[in-house]
Each structure stands twice: as C-alpha cells, then as structure tokens.
Amino acid sequence: MADRGEEQDRTSPTATPSAAAPASPAPEPDPVPPARPLDAIDRDILRILQTDGRASIRSVAERVHVSRANAYARINRLVEDGVIRGFGARVDHERAGQGASAYITLKIVQNSWRTVREQLQALPGATHIALVSGDFDVLLLVHTPDNRALRELVLTRIQSIPEVLSTRTLLVFEETDLGPRPDRPAELA
C-alpha cells in the first residue's frame, strides 16, 4: 500500500504526462438529467411528506398502498432527482421570536442577479428570494425580531449592496401559511 505522499505524486495535476498519452481536455460536467415524470403514487407521496415531513416510511407505504421498500426507493429517487429539495419544519415566526416580517422589493443593476442573490442569502432572517418581472427585479421575504432589526437590515445591510439601486419595504401585518393540506387534494395533480 502506498503512503499518502506517493499517492499524491501519482495523481498530482502537476505531474508530467507521458509522451505516449496525449493530454485530454478537462471533462465537462454532466448535464442535469431531465426530470422523470411523476406518477400518481409519487404525487401522493409528495402530498403526504409536504403535509407531514416526519411521516415514517411505513406510514407512507401504507397510505399509498405500496411496500416499504417501494416507498423507500421512490422517496430516494425523488430526493436524487431534486424533486424533494429537503425536509424541514414550518415555523410560526412570531412565536419563534421573529415578530416583524416584510416583503422587500429591490431594483438591481442589470445582470447582477447572481451576485445579489449570494449576498441576500447571507442575510439573517431571509427566507425567500425570487427574481421576478415587473416594476422591480427581486422580491425578498424576511423575518426579524422587531421593526428596529428590520430597519437595520434594510438600511444598513441591503441598501449597502452596490448592485441594489432601490428598495421598497412592505410590512406584513398577518400571515397565513397555505402549505399543502389533506383537505386540498388537487395539489401536485
């Protein structure tokens, strides 16, 4: 078995290729495979997991009338295909100490979306960012402990981003989560 130094020497990108083997160009990244179509069982599994992300495999399997192994394989495929992006909790932001919520619209410098998005993702309390069409370019949803923290976020953090041309803050007085519910079976159909 080779030690770490020898292994690194053999695989080092600075190693000189042999004269017989021409240097090959760097492989291009695999393109994202097209999404596989969802069947009725997949859509039922998604509905169940959206309503209760803590549902057990056994419970999901029983509710969609497949074996546990089939349910497990389907959920894994949905994750691998990027249909399920993750599992989480729906939070009541006010009860969690985030009593001020606002939608913030931003006008940004043309072609700066990726740069601005990275900076907005790093903001405390940012929960949703969308590039949109219309009178503004970006819609941002934030939750902060209070109006003072919201003011600081907008005036100090967001407006200091060089690519942000202007902002408008829309305070949220009341929110209702319209997440998937069992009484709305048409979701994902």
Side-chain angles (χ1 to χ4, degrees):
M1 180 172 187
D3 69 65
R4 280 195 178 300
E6 289 174 331
E7 185 176 352
Q8 287 175 348
D9 288 343
R10 279 188 275 124
T11 60
S12 169
T14 58
T16 324
S18 69
S24 60
E28 293 194 22
D30 292 332
V32 176
R36 291 182 257 195
L38 302 180
D39 63 16
I41 294 172
D42 292 331
R43 287 190 296 274
D44 287 344
I45 289 171
L46 290 173
R47 269 191 220 99
I48 291 166
L49 293 176
Q50 284 180 303
T51 303
D52 179 8
R54 295 176 59 176
S56 68
I57 298 289
R58 184 162 111 182
S59 168
V60 170
E62 289 171 358
R63 291 168 64 185
V64 298
H65 309 292
V66 298
S67 69
R68 280 188 284 180
N70 188 333
Y72 182 80
R74 284 173 176 268
I75 291 169
N76 278 344
R77 181 179 52 84
L78 292 167
V79 170
E80 288 169 6
D81 286 355
V83 175
I84 296 176
R85 296 184 303 183
F87 297 87
R90 289 192 304 268
V91 176
D92 181 322
H93 294 284
E94 190 170 353
R95 293 183 62 86
Q98 302 290 305
S101 298
Y103 286 96
I104 303 168
T105 66
L106 296 84
K107 288 186 181 181
I108 61 173
V109 172
Q110 188 171 7
N111 297 321
S112 65
W113 163 242
R114 286 177 181 83
T115 303
V116 171
R117 179 182 57 198
E118 285 177 19
Q119 294 177 69
L120 296 176
Q121 287 172 330
L123 293 175
T127 59
H128 184 83
I129 304 167
L131 178 65
V132 297
S133 66
D135 294 336
F136 49 89
D137 304 306
V138 178
L139 182 63
L140 170 67
L141 174 60
V142 298
H143 301 281
T144 61
D146 53 34
N147 283 343
R148 180 171 291 164
L150 177 60
R151 178 178 160 268
E152 180 71 18
L153 183 73
V154 173
L155 298 179
T156 304
R157 300 284 300 270
I158 296 173
Q159 290 183 356
S160 70
I161 298 171
E163 297 85 1
V164 173
L165 301 173
S166 66
T167 65
R168 176 173 282 171
T169 302
L170 307 165
L171 291 177
V172 174
F173 295 125
E174 185 176 317
E175 292 181 88
T176 302
D177 184 8
L178 296 179
R181 298 185 323 237
D183 61 333
R184 290 197 296 190
E187 306 266 336
L188 298 171

